[in-house]
């Protein structure tokens, strides 16, 4: 098993130079020029979705957004490694994962606009809706993987969470249980250095991947801003999961370049100068330089990709603004799977109340 | 024709109510692109850049830098070119998702149910049951005019019904011209109860026997017993002895302690003698009963009678004592009346009535002497007892009062 | 006297608590350098240091459990749970340990924790940020539960809660964080911690409310006044214990009661008040006790919350019903 705890796996350096690592290169032999361009395009488009969503929040079209700026490679690289039947559990920041899984961009903002608590049916895209409670999805992924195992399905389950989540009891339990039952789940931790204002050093005194070892889960650290390395490492872990070798823990080292959410002000706890190091490791810039070195990114390609990003952003904007408000009766829909007398009573009372208000003057 | 859109300040951070406009980064007449930064604002949480939602030309800056702006306030007007699709109608009511806690909907007057015209809230509220309040309100009676017979003097629905009956009666009776005096209706639940009990009583076919006896030995016995320690603080009267005699007599005449069972079509003898004592008070008639009176000594019986009488007069008889009686004794003698023909307490086989004890001329061994004489009347349910049984029973009771030694030997 | 909002009032109260008693420590996620996501602990770490205002790892159960341990060691921890919807991982530590320790040890040990929880909706938030968990805690013996509605109460009640020897769940109406009032921070508190306050005097009906709904009830009362009805509004302030004396005196005066809260009605705080008043003021009631509450559904998405939360109209509709009955 490949495991490299202290030196994160890297296949592309920040300056775009390729690093040869045979044990990982063999996992991406199918990634030719088209695939590389496609990866880059996903990076660009997902960043554009993210920045457009932030703008929409500033314009009052959505109430909140958790920007993933800086984490594109960690999300695109891992999501692109997934097979169609694999299932992904996410936190609230995996917009690029949802996008790569095929969720139409216009469904990405439904929840943030307050229309409903979820934008899509998870089974349709094999990815969950954004989950607000930190860490709960780890156990869900373990359970799902256990179910797949009991079904005899050869799929992998992946759980996305951040460094902060690893302090939650639920994640500890998820790892312990996954190891106990030897289920096919990939724990994908994006260590983006921050949990709102708390630096990762508060959550852990060791590299986070070391925790997994304690549970008997093989772990690997990867440069989360290197989309190729993430792709390779995730493929390896997913293969293990599918073939029945049990869980793997991936710690993708990246950085949350933006605020925790649009309500946050990072200037209160980190200096802009601290970020310059990370800016030099920007995942899109890195890939652009890499493709440039290989003459894969001409004017044509650049403009096509830019147009695609504009297109997606415009579509996202249009669709978000056009989202219809739910009717008041939606309050009472789907509280239970089966009819419930209290809900029926309250639904009717509310209906009668609204009728009584019709035509009332101010 | 181009349109001007107003951009209203959104809630930028989950419940903010305002923001300070720090500075504009565009000026009037500038052409702006979608998402171009228009201004910097400071919220309670952060310094935030506002990107333009519109493409077009800035027509008006609506807020001065340095001002605190409530969420929802238009801050800038931008005119879009004629051919651009307008992204959103600036007049739509809730463009803003996080519309801010301050922007509560203006209240709409609902289509109101006109409340009942109420009597002005009095400073002193009468306690009343909810059913009484409704009844009083519907009938238009003021609660303060009604005496309450419920817990803690609360007005009950029955009290309201009584008040209504009296009111109706007084309304019907033609008042003599010039009388001008309205009698206060004195109604009570107790009267109503008495009335319904008396009506129920008539269901039983009743007959009465009476007997006048020389009870001088009993009076002498009472005179001797009263000062003794055992009876300190207790009321010891002819009624007490008569009650004791009645209860004692029942042990050899069990049929007297029975009730008529309609379903069976027969009498059913009750196990215990729950002796009812008719008590008159300001509030009306009540008949609390002493449970298992056959087990009580004269002292205990005296105590029980005393306590029940006091409680009944105060209106605080325990409900337990107001039900389950099996025989009743009533003393009209205290009012100076020679005797009476009592009506049965519904469900009972007999009721004994004691008349006044007075000095009367009496024949003893052919000579006339002054003796203490009283008349006893027994009304009985003729389905349960016949005339002979009733007569023998009454005779036995009277004998024990005429000769208390007999009472003693039957204890 | 200074005009300040609820956030500043709480901040000032916390500062005083830190000054008055060196056993007081503040702990929570992002409370230190950031000063809290609502800035309630702003500048406190800067002035008191990181051993008095402690940034905690991301684990609510860990925060409360650690605080409990600190309390056993003689400290007076003030925990912050960042949002109401995140208190549930800590629920076990709260009800199984914090609530029970005094009883378990027959008074030998106690847990004088204050657990601050920004609560309630009306801020257009995403899931888990608008919950009303107060009934779970009020239902748990061993805990005291309080809920200020305004800056003045915020300032005094946070200090009283920290000074209390029992654990206090201190709910903060985040929707009202930015409401302002004139606060005299040198004055002594006018009311004991668990006393209710008649926020508005009236004769026609009693409206009992707490947290963010007090302002809503007062709005309703203003409108009712224009319509010729005189409402008495009682700010409950304390949910465990509940000041029934104040409520009873009010209902005995008006004969009508409407209870308002955001939390769902089924088994909510209003149910307890209704049961108590029905028993103790039965003969004074003119009409049935009514409750105006959130529905018995999970808290809805932001676009629907205005239908879910009681507003002045719904309170007035209940007033109509109670006057007509």
């Amino acid at each position: 098993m490949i495991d490299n705890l202290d030196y994160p796996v890297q296949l592309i350096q920040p300056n775009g130079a390729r690093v040869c690592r045979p044990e990982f290169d063999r996992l991406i032999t199918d990634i030719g020029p088209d695939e590389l361009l496609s990866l880059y395009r996903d990076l660009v488009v997902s960043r554009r979705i993210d920045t457009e969503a932030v703008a929409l929040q500033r314009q009052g079209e959505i109430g909140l957004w958790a920007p993933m700026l800086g984490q594109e490679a960690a999300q695109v690289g891992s999501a692109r490694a997934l097979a169609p039947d694999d299932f992904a559990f996410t936190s609230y920041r995996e917009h690029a994962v949802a996008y790569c899984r095929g969720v139409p961009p216009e469904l990405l903002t439904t929840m943030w606009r307050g229309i409903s608590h979820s934008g899509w049916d998870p089974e349709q895209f094999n990815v969950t809706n954004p989950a607000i409670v930190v860490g709960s999805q780890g156990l869900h992924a373990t359970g799902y993987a256990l179910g797949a195992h009991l079904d005899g399905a050869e799929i992998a389950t992946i759980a996305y969470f951040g460094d902060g989540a690893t302090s939650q009891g639920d994640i500890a339990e998820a790892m312990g249980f996954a190891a106990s039952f030897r289920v096919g789940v990939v724990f994908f931790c994006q260590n983006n250095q921050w949990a709102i204002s708390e630096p990762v050093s508060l959550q852990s005194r060791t590299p986070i991947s070391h925790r997994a070892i304690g549970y008997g889960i093989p772990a690997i650290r990867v440069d989360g801003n290197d989309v190729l390395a993430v792709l390779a490492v995730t493929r390896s872990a997913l293969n293990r999961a599918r073939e029945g070798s049990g869980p793997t823990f991936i710690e993708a080292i990246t950085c949350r370049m933006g605020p925790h959410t649009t309500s946050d002000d990072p200037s209160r706890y980190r200096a802009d100068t601290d970020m310059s190091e990370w800016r030099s490791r920007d995942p899109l810039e890195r890939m652009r330089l890499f493709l440039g070195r290989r003459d894969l990114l001409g004017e044509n390609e650049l403009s096509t990709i830019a147009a695609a990003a504009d297109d997606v952003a415009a579509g996202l904007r249009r669709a978000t603004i056009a989202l219809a408000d739910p009717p008041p009766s939606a309050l009472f829909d789907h509280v239970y799977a089966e009819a419930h007398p209290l809900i029926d009573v309250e639904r009717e009372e509310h209906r009668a109340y609204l009728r009584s208000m019709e035509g009332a003057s101010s | 024709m181009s349109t001007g859109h107003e951009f209203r300040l959104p809630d930028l951070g989950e419940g903010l109510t305002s923001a300070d406009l720090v500075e504009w980064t565009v000026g009037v007449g500038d052409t702006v692109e979608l998402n171009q930064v228009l201004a910097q604002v400071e919220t309670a949480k952060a310094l935030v850049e506002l990107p333009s939602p519109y493409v077009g030309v800035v027509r008006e800056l609506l807020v001065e830098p340095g001002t605190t702006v409530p969420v929802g306030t238009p801050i800038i007007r931008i005119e879009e070119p004629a051919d651009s699709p307008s992204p959103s109608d600036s007049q739509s009511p809730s463009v803003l998702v996080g519309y801010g806690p301050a922007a509560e909907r203006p209240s709409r007057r609902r289509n109101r149910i006109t409340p009942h015209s109420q009597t002005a809230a009095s400073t002193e509220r009468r306690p009343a049951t909810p059913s009484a309040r409704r009844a009083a309100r519907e009938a238009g009676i003021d609660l303060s005019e009604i005496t309450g017979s419920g817990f803690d003097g609360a007005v009950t629905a029955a009290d309201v019904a009584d008040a209504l009956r009296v009111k109706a009666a007084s309304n019907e009776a033609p008042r003599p011209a010039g009388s001008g005096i309205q009698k206060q209706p004195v109604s009570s639940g107790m009267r109503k109860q008495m009335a319904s009990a008396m009506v129920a009583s008539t269901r039983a076919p009743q007959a009465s026997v009476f007997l006048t006896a020389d009870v001088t030995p009993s009076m002498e016995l009472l005179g001797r017993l009263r000062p003794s320690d055992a009876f300190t603080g207790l009321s010891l009267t002819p009624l007490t002895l008569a009650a004791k005699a009645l209860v004692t007599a029942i042990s050899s005449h069990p049929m007297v302690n029975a009730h008529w069972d309609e379903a069976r079509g027969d009498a059913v003898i009750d196990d215990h003698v729950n002796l009812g004592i008719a008590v008159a008070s300001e509030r009306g008639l009540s008949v609390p009963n002493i449970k298992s009176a056959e087990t009580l000594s004269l002292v205990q019986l005296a105590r029980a009678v005393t306590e029940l009488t006091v409680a009944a007069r105060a209106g605080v008889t325990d409900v337990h004592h107001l039900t389950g009686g099996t025989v009743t004794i009533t003393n009209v003698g205290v009012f100076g009346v020679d005797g009476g023909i009592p009506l049965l307490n519904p469900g009972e086989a007999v009721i004994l009535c004691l008349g006044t004890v007075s000095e009367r001329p009496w024949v003893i061994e052919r000579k006339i002497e002054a003796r203490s004489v009283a008349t006893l009347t027994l009304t009985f349910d003729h389905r349960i007892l016949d005339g002979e049984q009733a007569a023998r029973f009454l005779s036995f009771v009277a004998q024990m009062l005429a000769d208390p030694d007999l009472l003693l030997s039957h204890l | 006297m200074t005009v300040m909002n609820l956030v500043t009032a709480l901040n000032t109260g916390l500062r005083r608590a830190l000054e008055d008693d060196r056993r007081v420590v503040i702990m929570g996620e992002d409370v230190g350098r950031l000063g809290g996501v609502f800035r309630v602990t702003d500048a406190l770490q800067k002035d008191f240091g990181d051993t008095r205002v402690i940034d905690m790892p991301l684990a609510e159960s860990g925060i409360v459990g650690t605080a409990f341990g600190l309390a056993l060691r003689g400290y007076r921890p003030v925990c912050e749970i960042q949002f109401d919807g995140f208190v549930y991982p800590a629920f076990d530590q709260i009800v199984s340990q914090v609530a029970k320790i005094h009883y378990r040890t027959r008074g030998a040990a106690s847990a004088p924790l204050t657990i601050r929880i920004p609560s309630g909706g009306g801020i257009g938030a995403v899931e888990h940020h608008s919950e009303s968990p107060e009934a779970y805690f009020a239902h748990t013996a061993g805990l005291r539960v309080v809920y200020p509605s305004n800056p003045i109460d915020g300032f005094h009640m946070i200090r009283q809660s920290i000074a209390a020897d029992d654990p206090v769940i201190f709910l903060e109406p985040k929707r009202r964080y930015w409401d302002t009032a004139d606060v005299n921070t040198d004055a002594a508190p006018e009311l004991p911690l668990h006393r209710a306050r008649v926020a508005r005097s009236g004769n026609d009906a009693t409206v009992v409310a707490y947290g963010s709904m007090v302002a809503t009830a007062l709005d309703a009362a203003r409108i009712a006044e224009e319509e010729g009805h005189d409402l008495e509004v009682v700010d409950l302030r304390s949910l465990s214990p509940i000041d029934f004396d104040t409520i009873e005196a009010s209902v005995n005066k008006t004969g009508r009661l409407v209870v308002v809260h955001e939390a769902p009605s089924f088994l909510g705080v209003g149910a307890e008040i209704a049961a108590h008043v029905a028993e103790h003021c039965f003969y004074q009631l003119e009409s049935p006790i009514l409750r105006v509450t959130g529905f018995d559904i999970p808290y809805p998405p932001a676009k629907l919350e205005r239908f879910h939360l009681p507003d002045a109209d719904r309170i007035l509709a209940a007033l109509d019903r109670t006057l007509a009955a």
Side-chain angles (χ1 to χ4, degrees):
Chain A
M1 165 64 207
I2 316 146
D3 64 348
N4 199 326
L5 284 182
D6 294 312
Y7 194 83
V9 174
Q10 188 184 69
L11 299 181
I12 307 175
Q13 293 179 30
N15 62 6
R18 180 80 166 79
V19 177
C20 291
R21 298 283 305 267
E23 71 269 41
F24 297 103
D25 294 341
R26 66 178 169 75
L27 290 157
I28 52 168
T29 52
D30 62 316
I31 304 296
D34 289 342
E35 289 74 23
L36 289 169
L37 272 172
S38 162
L39 283 169
Y40 179 62
R41 184 192 154 112
D42 278 351
L43 291 174
V44 172
V45 169
S46 55
R47 177 167 291 184
R48 189 60 195 280
I49 288 172
D50 197 61
T51 49
E52 194 69 27
V54 171
L56 285 166
Q57 196 277 339
R58 294 299 184 220
Q59 291 153 358
E61 299 295 346
I62 60 177
L64 186 78
W65 184 258
M68 52 135 205
L69 181 70
Q71 299 174 224
E72 297 86 353
Q75 295 190 16
V76 169
S78 56
R80 289 290 297 267
L82 296 168
D85 287 345
D86 291 341
F87 198 93
F89 287 84
T90 66
S91 76
Y92 46 78
R93 204 185 293 284
E94 276 71 60
H95 315 301
V97 171
Y99 172 70
C100 289
R101 293 254 80 195
V103 177
E106 53 270 22
L107 299 185
L108 292 176
T109 49
T110 312
M111 190 194 105
W112 305 96
R113 189 166 164 85
I115 305 290
S116 81
H117 287 315
S118 57
W120 62 87
D121 174 1
E123 301 229 311
Q124 195 183 352
F125 305 104
N126 284 344
V127 64
T128 55
N129 282 269
I132 307 281
V133 175
V134 172
S136 53
Q137 69 273 29
L139 277 169
H140 305 165
T142 295
Y144 193 94
L146 178 62
H149 170 72
L150 295 172
D151 296 339
E154 279 180 31
I155 62 150
T157 310
I158 186 166
Y160 287 90
F161 49 91
D163 47 290
T166 64
S167 288
Q168 286 282 6
D170 277 9
I171 292 291
E173 290 166 15
M175 290 203 277
F177 285 28
S180 235
F181 292 109
R182 205 181 162 81
V183 291
V185 58
V186 175
F187 293 106
F188 194 95
C189 174
Q190 287 166 79
N191 177 355
N192 68 6
Q193 313 304 312
W194 297 98
I196 308 187
S197 70
E198 309 297 9
V200 62
S201 56
L202 180 64
Q203 313 297 345
S204 179
R205 289 295 181 197
T206 71
I208 291 176
S209 47
H210 284 200
R211 295 182 163 183
I213 304 298
Y215 289 102
I217 299 176
I220 187 160
R221 302 183 95 204
V222 64
D223 181 340
N225 286 9
D226 175 347
V227 69
L228 268 190
V230 172
L231 178 68
V233 162
T234 310
R235 277 182 169 181
S236 156
L238 291 168
N239 287 342
R240 273 178 45 84
R242 275 189 222 101
E243 77 198 9
S245 297
T248 312
F249 191 100
I250 299 174
E251 183 188 351
I253 316 288
T254 178
C255 184
R256 194 200 76 208
M257 300 303 284
H260 164 65
T261 66
T262 45
S263 294
D264 181 34
D265 178 8
S267 71
R268 293 175 65 100
Y269 52 83
R270 67 186 188 192
D272 206 52
T273 47
D274 297 339
M275 306 302 291
S276 59
E277 166 79 27
W278 281 102
R279 262 181 228 114
S280 70
R281 295 149 112 180
D282 181 77
L284 272 65
E285 180 65 3
R286 185 186 310 207
M287 194 59 172
R288 189 184 72 76
L289 291 170
F290 170 70
L291 291 170
R293 279 169 183 248
R294 294 185 169 201
D295 285 323
L296 290 174
L297 208 52
E299 281 303 314
N300 210 15
E301 287 76 23
L302 276 170
S303 64
T304 309
I305 288 173
D310 285 345
D311 218 41
V312 169
L316 176 68
R317 169 170 292 273
R318 217 172 17 247
T320 300
I321 291 169
L323 281 170
D325 282 4
S329 58
L331 281 173
F332 303 100
D333 292 340
H334 309 298
V335 179
Y336 293 94
E338 297 173 7
H340 190 285
L342 189 56
I343 300 295
D344 293 340
V345 164
E346 292 186 6
R347 182 190 292 115
E348 197 39 56
E349 282 177 356
H350 185 59
R351 201 177 285 156
Y353 170 76
L354 289 179
R355 265 201 303 270
S356 79
M357 295 294 282
E358 280 165 17
S361 58
S362 271
Chain B
M1 192 159 105
S2 57
T3 48
H5 287 285
E6 285 183 342
F7 176 31
R8 292 188 284 154
L9 181 73
D11 165 14
L12 293 162
E14 291 171 297
L16 298 173
T17 57
S18 66
D20 294 341
L21 191 96
V22 175
E23 64 166 353
W24 288 108
T25 51
V26 297
V28 175
D30 288 353
T31 304
V32 294
E33 295 173 359
L34 184 63
N35 294 337
Q36 178 174 342
V37 177
L38 299 174
Q40 290 223 324
V41 300
E42 178 144 29
T43 71
K45 297 184 181 182
L47 189 62
V48 165
E49 290 180 340
L50 292 185
S52 177
Y54 310 117
V55 174
V57 177
V58 177
R59 283 298 170 227
E60 202 180 343
L61 302 178
L62 299 168
V63 172
E64 289 290 314
T67 330
T68 301
V69 183
V71 164
T73 310
I75 56 171
I76 188 172
R77 200 158 55 78
I78 293 171
E79 192 180 302
E80 289 190 304
D83 56 356
S84 79
S86 50
S88 71
D89 181 356
S90 63
Q91 302 311 310
S92 72
S94 54
V95 164
L96 310 171
V97 172
Y99 49 80
E104 287 182 50
R105 276 181 315 121
S107 161
R108 299 171 288 162
R109 295 288 204 283
R110 57 265 175 258
N111 297 321
R112 293 166 49 204
I113 317 160
T114 319
H116 284 260
S117 55
Q118 303 153 255
T119 50
S122 49
T123 46
E124 258 198 63
R125 300 177 46 76
R126 284 300 312 285
T129 65
S131 53
R133 288 189 196 281
R134 161 167 270 165
R137 195 169 40 239
E138 284 170 359
I141 302 183
D142 191 341
L143 276 177
S144 60
E145 295 170 14
I146 306 177
T147 315
S149 69
F151 179 76
D152 229 23
V155 177
T156 65
D159 295 338
V160 176
D162 283 343
L164 270 177
R165 241 193 304 279
V166 173
K167 193 172 177 172
S170 72
N171 284 345
E172 282 165 19
R175 236 173 297 146
S179 73
I181 298 169
Q182 177 81 352
K183 277 222 161 79
Q184 276 288 60
V186 175
S187 68
S188 77
M190 286 176 76
R191 172 159 308 173
K192 185 183 182 227
Q193 274 169 283
M194 178 179 72
S196 57
M198 290 305 147
V199 168
S201 176
T202 63
R203 255 187 242 122
Q206 312 178 36
S208 305
V209 288
F210 40 89
L211 188 157
T212 304
D214 170 5
V215 297
T216 310
S218 285
M219 299 306 287
E220 287 167 352
L221 174 60
L222 286 176
R224 286 195 299 280
L225 290 176
R226 275 200 199 102
S228 69
D229 288 339
F231 289 95
T232 309
L234 298 180
S235 183
L236 187 59
T237 65
L239 173 72
T240 327
L241 268 183
K244 186 64 180 162
L246 170 64
V247 171
T248 306
I250 286 172
S251 57
S252 47
H253 296 77
M255 200 54 146
V256 167
N257 195 53
H259 63 271
W260 185 256
D261 189 325
E262 276 298 343
R264 266 183 244 229
D266 199 356
V268 174
I269 294 176
D270 297 307
D271 294 329
H272 293 287
V273 181
N274 296 336
L275 174 67
I277 316 279
V279 180
S281 72
E282 265 178 19
R283 307 164 131 264
L285 169 71
S286 75
V287 189
N289 62 78
I290 299 166
K291 303 296 182 195
S292 300
E294 77 280 10
T295 64
L296 301 180
S297 66
L298 185 62
V299 174
Q300 289 169 328
L301 194 59
R303 175 166 294 112
V305 171
T306 307
E307 285 172 357
L308 272 185
T309 306
V310 167
R313 292 210 175 109
V316 296
T317 310
D318 204 286
V319 155
H320 169 68
H321 288 293
L322 289 174
T323 55
T326 61
V327 291
T328 299
I329 184 168
T330 179
N331 183 6
V332 301
V334 289
F335 305 112
V337 170
D338 292 336
I341 302 180
L343 294 173
L344 286 172
N345 206 352
E348 296 178 9
V350 302
I351 178 169
L352 177 69
C353 178
L354 176 64
T356 191
V357 177
S358 59
E359 298 292 297
R360 295 278 178 92
W362 197 255
V363 177
I364 300 180
E365 288 174 4
R366 309 209 58 154
K367 299 226 188 61
I368 295 189
E369 290 184 27
R371 301 291 281 179
S372 296
V373 172
T375 301
L376 296 157
T377 314
L378 187 81
T379 298
F380 59 98
D381 184 335
H382 217 314
R383 297 172 295 185
I384 301 174
L385 299 170
D386 58 34
E388 178 183 346
Q389 288 168 305
R392 285 186 189 284
F393 181 74
L394 182 61
S395 174
F396 186 47
V397 173
Q399 277 170 46
M400 284 193 279
L401 289 175
D403 182 2
D405 292 348
L406 193 61
L407 173 60
L408 183 63
S409 55
H410 278 89
L411 285 174
Chain C
M1 290 282 253
T2 327
V3 173
M4 62 175 71
N5 62 29
L6 179 57
V7 168
T8 308
L10 292 167
N11 184 268
T12 311
L14 288 169
R15 179 175 287 274
R16 293 289 173 88
L18 287 164
E19 285 163 3
D20 292 346
D21 186 348
R22 57 172 204 74
R23 297 169 304 166
V24 173
V25 293
I26 293 176
M27 42 205 292
E29 295 157 23
D30 307 291
V31 296
R33 226 170 346 163
L34 183 63
V37 290
F38 289 103
R39 311 291 180 261
V40 174
T41 54
D42 187 39
L44 295 179
Q45 188 182 70
K46 179 172 67 68
D47 293 343
F48 292 88
D50 62 8
T51 56
R52 300 290 307 281
V53 181
I54 310 173
D55 283 303
M56 299 297 283
L58 213 177
E60 290 76 15
S61 182
I63 292 168
V64 175
T66 305
F68 179 72
L70 276 168
L72 294 178
R73 188 70 190 168
Y75 287 85
R76 262 176 200 259
V78 182
C79 303
E80 178 178 300
I81 300 294
Q82 202 159 78
F83 282 91
D84 39 73
F86 305 141
V87 73
Y88 304 115
F91 200 72
D92 179 55
Q93 287 287 347
I94 293 171
V95 311
S96 299
Q97 308 302 336
V98 173
K100 290 181 164 39
I101 188 67
H102 198 254
Y103 189 75
R104 179 188 300 151
T105 62
R106 298 159 65 80
S110 64
L113 270 71
T114 303
I115 301 177
R116 293 181 40 241
I117 312 178
S119 299
I123 60 167
V126 290
E127 224 187 341
H128 311 290
H129 285 62
S130 310
E131 306 287 302
S132 291
E134 61 268 18
Y136 301 129
F137 299 114
H139 188 66
T140 303
L143 298 177
R144 293 179 184 268
V145 182
V146 300
Y147 210 144
S149 69
N150 62 81
I152 299 168
D153 280 339
F155 173 73
H156 291 293
M157 289 171 73
I158 188 65
R159 298 177 72 192
Q160 288 168 316
S161 297
I162 293 171
D165 289 333
D166 286 316
V168 178
I169 307 292
F170 189 92
L171 298 142
E172 301 170 358
K174 64 172 97 70
R175 179 184 190 179
R176 305 294 179 206
Y177 268 154
W178 319 111
D179 287 3
T180 56
D182 235 331
V183 183
N184 183 351
T185 57
D186 294 320
E190 277 177 21
L191 293 174
L193 182 58
H194 300 295
R195 185 79 54 79
R197 183 177 64 95
V198 178
R200 184 187 194 280
S201 217
N203 286 300
D204 292 348
T206 301
V207 179
V208 171
Y210 57 87
S212 71
M213 289 290 112
V214 175
T216 310
L218 289 169
D219 280 348
R222 267 190 285 280
I223 298 169
E225 187 174 31
E226 292 164 20
E227 296 172 353
H229 296 299
D230 193 27
L231 296 189
E232 178 146 298
V233 177
V234 176
D235 179 351
L236 204 54
R237 296 171 88 248
S238 174
L239 308 185
S240 173
I242 289 176
D243 176 6
F244 284 116
D245 287 346
T246 301
I247 297 175
E248 284 176 41
S250 179
V251 177
N252 286 338
K253 179 171 72 155
T254 67
R256 298 176 201 276
L257 176 60
V258 175
V259 186
V260 185
H261 57 62
E262 281 189 35
S265 69
F266 192 78
L267 288 166
V269 171
E272 177 64 39
I273 294 174
H276 181 100
V277 171
E279 183 179 346
H280 292 263
C281 304
F282 186 74
Y283 298 100
Q284 298 297 348
L285 288 171
E286 295 280 351
S287 54
I289 298 165
L290 298 179
R291 291 173 290 162
V292 180
T293 66
F295 300 111
D296 289 287
I297 59 175
Y299 198 88
K303 289 288 196 181
L304 288 173
E305 75 178 337
R306 69 186 188 278
F307 298 109
H308 175 77
L309 294 171
D311 58 13
D313 281 334
R314 282 180 55 200
I315 296 175
L316 292 166
L319 176 65
D320 287 347
R321 278 176 60 202
T322 193
L323 291 172

